[in-house]
Amino acid sequence: MTHFADIRTGLGFDAHRLAAGRRLVLGGVAIPCDRGLAGHSDADVLLHALCDALLGALAQPDIGARFPDTDPALKDADSTVFVRKALVTVTGFGFRVLNASCVLVCDQPKLAAHADRIRLRVAELLAIEPDRVGLSAKTTEGTQLALPDGSIAALVSVLLAREE
Ligand code: MG
C-alpha cells in the first residue's frame, strides 16, 4: 500500500460571460457555438478553475496573480499553457494529482454531448488515467444562477499527494 507523506485538496471556481465573436473552449476542447467566453485569454473557465484548484491546494497565488489579465502577452492565450505551468508547480512541491472532479454550470449551449470529450482532455492535460477525472455538466433550471444573457461557471476540486 502506498503511504502518503502529505495529502492536499484544492478547490477552484471561475465564471465568464458568453459573447459574440469568440471561440468557445472548455477544458481545452473547442465546442461548436455561435458565441464564446469573453476574457483576456481564451477564457477557458474550466481550465482556470482547475489551475486555481491545483495552486490553491499548495497555498500558492491564484491564476489571476500568476497570469494577470493586464499582461499583453497573454491576450487570447491558450489556457492549457496555464495548466501545464500549474502542474510544474505541483511536481516542484513533490506532489502528484490523484484525481479531479469538475462541474460546469451552463444553460446554453447544451454541453452533455461534449462532456466526455472534455473529461478525457482534462485527464490528458493532467497526465492521469481517464477514470481519475469526473465531469458533470449542469443547467440552472431557471434559478437564474447563470446570467440571463449567457455565462458559464466551473467548479473543480483536486486531490494531490506527496509520497514518502
Ligand atoms: Mg477566468
Side-chain angles (χ1 to χ4, degrees), residues 1 13 150:
M1 186 170 169
F13 169 80

Side-chain angles (χ1 to χ4, degrees), residues 13-16 38-39 41 43-45 48-49 63:
F13 169 80
D14 197 24
H16 284 258
S41 66
D44 190 326
V45 68
H48 293 183
I63 187 173

Side-chain angles (χ1 to χ4, degrees), residues 55-132:
L55 296 168
L58 298 166
Q60 292 301 295
D62 71 8
I63 187 173
R66 187 93 182 261
F67 309 110
D69 63 7
T70 50
D71 184 348
L74 299 179
K75 177 103 179 74
D76 296 323
D78 176 350
S79 293
T80 63
V81 172
F82 304 155
V83 175
R84 291 201 174 92
K85 289 185 175 172
L87 282 174
V88 168
T89 299
V90 169
T91 54
F93 276 80
F95 283 80
R96 65 186 172 94
V97 181
L98 291 187
N99 82 305
S101 185
C102 314
V103 181
L104 280 166
V105 183
C106 173
D107 286 330
Q108 291 293 334
K110 297 296 181 208
L111 296 176
H114 308 288
D116 208 48
R117 203 155 48 99
I118 296 169
R119 189 181 70 80
L120 294 173
R121 179 66 175 134
V122 170
E124 184 180 44
L125 288 169
L126 291 173
I128 59 178
E129 299 89 341
D131 66 358
R132 289 179 178 269

Side-chain angles (χ1 to χ4, degrees), residues 141-152:
E141 299 286 346
T143 58
Q144 300 190 332
L145 286 170
L147 289 170
D149 61 346
S151 64
I152 302 179

